[in-house]
Amino acid sequence: MKSRSLIAAAADLESLRTRWAGFRPDLVFCFCAPDIDLGRYAAVRVSATFPGATVIGCSTAGEIGVGGASDGLVSLLGLSFGNTVVRAHRVPLDHHERSADSGRLLGSLMLSDGSPAAILPFIPGVGVDGSAFVHGLRAALPAGIPMSGGMAADGRRFSRTFTILNGQVYTDQAVAVGLYGASLRVGTGSASGWTSFGPTRRVTGVNGPVLSTLDRKPALQLYCSYLGDKARELPSSGLLYPLAVVGEGDSACTGLIRSITGVDWDAGTLTLAGALAPDSFVRLMHTDNQRLINGAQLAAEQVAAGSVGQAAVLLVSCVGRREMLGDDIDDEIDAVRTVFPAGTPIAGFYSYGEIGPHGRDRLSELHNQSMTIASFSEV
């Protein structure tokens, strides 16, 4: 397998063939700033430059390259395989109540091409239930297939996101690429660096990702009481104060993390990036920059432990991590980069949700506030 990465301005895509001279990718991941005209241009330009390649990706809250995080650019990761087959599909995804069905449909389409060695999905970032989609996709597939990807982002606006497949952009479609073949090796990892604090609250009113009550009290009102003056900045300020799913008898046992992506002031509800189960328990979370950087390094070490030979690396990190890290944002990318050999191609984006392994069984889940990593190589 051969690979290249590049982070560039739109104008620089005109010279992409020269920049990647002699390289003919089978697959190009394409992540770009959330200007839909830029997305269309990037999709068309990359597809025209490499007509034999599958081009897939989404809009971002920041682009990731070897040198760190950027805004307003396009991040590319190209893979040229020796014995791996690439197949891509898209399905409608425009409402949280239809998210699980969309995931199952995508899974069945992936299986129509055979049994994939790995799946990389990218889905709309607003108005959908990312966790239900992932569970539907997982339910339609044989157990144990590695899955890594994320939810598209719209900077910090939470308004309109888009996905990319070949020369098109879509605001209401989930896209995914399946990789098929016995030679492929995919390593996956995910870690956060956040810890929970404060009182434990029971989820007493929830409909998928829409949270209405905690301990039978209005969820938005209760949440705003914690945020104080920062409540005026919702939903963007919610990125700094996610919710942790915790054990009923052990509040230190932190499971999945859920970020706030929307509020309904009239209804008094919070919309999360993924669903919560009724009668589950949650706490607020906090962190500091060093914990986040350590979490990114831990995710990279999980991936590197299973890597074979020279790999290419795809990073999907949460926009909330970027908000927290501020001027230190490049430090989490550096922490990942130092785990892999010098010169390893790296690309990715900041997302509204990350798709990757969770827990001891490593089942695929929708994460928030995580650094989720995938590596690709062939033997």
Side-chain angles (χ1 to χ4, degrees):
M1 187 191 86
K2 298 179 181 179
S3 58
R4 301 283 190 278
S5 63
L6 175 69
I7 189 162
D12 294 330
L13 297 180
E14 295 285 346
S15 60
L16 181 57
R17 188 181 299 278
T18 301
R19 287 168 174 260
W20 282 359
F23 180 59
R24 294 293 178 266
D26 300 298
L27 172 63
V28 180
F29 294 103
C30 177
F31 307 110
C32 69
D35 179 327
I36 198 163
D37 290 332
L38 173 61
R40 291 192 182 101
Y41 177 80
V44 169
R45 173 54 55 189
V46 177
S47 294
T49 302
F50 301 113
T54 295
V55 180
I56 193 166
C58 62
S59 58
T60 79
E63 303 78 55
I64 296 174
V66 171
S70 301
D71 288 298
L73 302 181
V74 179
S75 179
L76 303 176
L77 178 65
L79 306 178
S80 176
F81 297 110
N83 297 294
T84 298
V85 175
V86 179
R87 294 287 185 268
H89 294 281
R90 61 181 174 91
V91 297
L93 179 58
D94 59 359
H95 197 280
H96 70 86
E97 292 181 355
R98 294 186 285 273
S99 298
D101 288 341
S102 293
R104 284 189 287 269
L105 175 59
L106 183 59
S108 66
L109 291 173
M110 288 292 170
L111 288 179
S112 69
D113 295 317
S115 182
I119 292 177
L120 293 306
F122 303 97
I123 69 176
V126 292
V128 305
D129 184 342
S131 58
F133 177 88
V134 173
H135 290 170
L137 176 57
R138 200 176 72 197
L141 297 169
I145 294 177
M147 195 184 303
S148 190
M151 300 181 79
D154 178 29
R156 296 156 186 81
R157 294 183 291 269
F158 295 92
S159 177
R160 181 176 69 169
T161 66
F162 58 83
T163 55
I164 295 169
L165 185 59
N166 297 323
Q168 301 292 325
V169 301
Y170 304 93
T171 59
D172 60 354
Q173 302 278 307
V175 300
V177 62
L179 304 178
Y180 301 78
S183 298
L184 182 69
R185 297 293 181 269
V186 176
T188 57
S190 185
S192 70
W194 291 77
T195 56
S196 62
F197 73 98
T200 300
R201 304 285 186 179
R202 182 191 292 269
V203 176
T204 50
V206 68
N207 180 16
V210 181
L211 178 62
S212 55
T213 62
L214 292 169
D215 291 342
R216 303 193 181 282
K217 299 175 183 178
L220 179 56
Q221 179 182 330
L222 193 61
Y223 188 73
C224 287
S225 71
Y226 287 114
L227 266 60
D229 291 342
K230 289 186 177 293
R232 293 194 295 266
E233 302 170 24
L234 284 169
S236 61
S237 60
L239 295 170
L240 307 179
Y241 302 96
L243 299 177
V245 180
V246 300
E248 178 178 1
D250 182 6
S251 60
C253 180
T254 300
L256 291 170
I257 302 172
R258 290 289 172 250
S259 290
I260 285 77
T261 61
V263 297
D264 187 326
W265 296 104
D266 294 329
T269 60
L270 297 167
T271 299
L272 312 178
L276 290 175
D279 293 320
S280 59
F281 294 85
V282 297
R283 299 174 82 195
L284 284 173
M285 304 198 81
H286 67 103
T287 190
D288 59 42
N289 286 10
Q290 191 57 54
R291 289 177 181 174
L292 292 178
I293 294 165
N294 292 344
Q297 182 171 336
L298 175 60
E301 290 170 349
Q302 293 171 1
V303 173
S307 295
V308 177
Q310 183 67 38
V313 177
L314 175 64
L315 310 185
V316 184
S317 187
C318 182
V319 60
R321 299 173 67 87
R322 190 176 190 194
E323 291 291 298
M324 280 295 302
L325 284 164
D327 292 340
D328 295 332
I329 185 61
D330 289 345
D331 290 352
E332 79 161 357
I333 301 169
D334 288 342
V336 171
R337 190 166 49 82
T338 57
V339 172
F340 296 96
T344 297
I346 291 175
F349 71 105
Y350 283 91
S351 73
Y352 287 170
E354 306 79 56
I355 299 170
H358 175 68
R360 293 181 180 178
D361 57 13
R362 297 183 62 77
L363 291 177
S364 298
E365 293 281 2
L366 178 80
H367 300 264
N368 298 134
Q369 303 292 354
S370 78
M371 168 66 84
T372 296
I373 304 175
S375 69
F376 308 91
S377 57
E378 284 184 309
V379 295

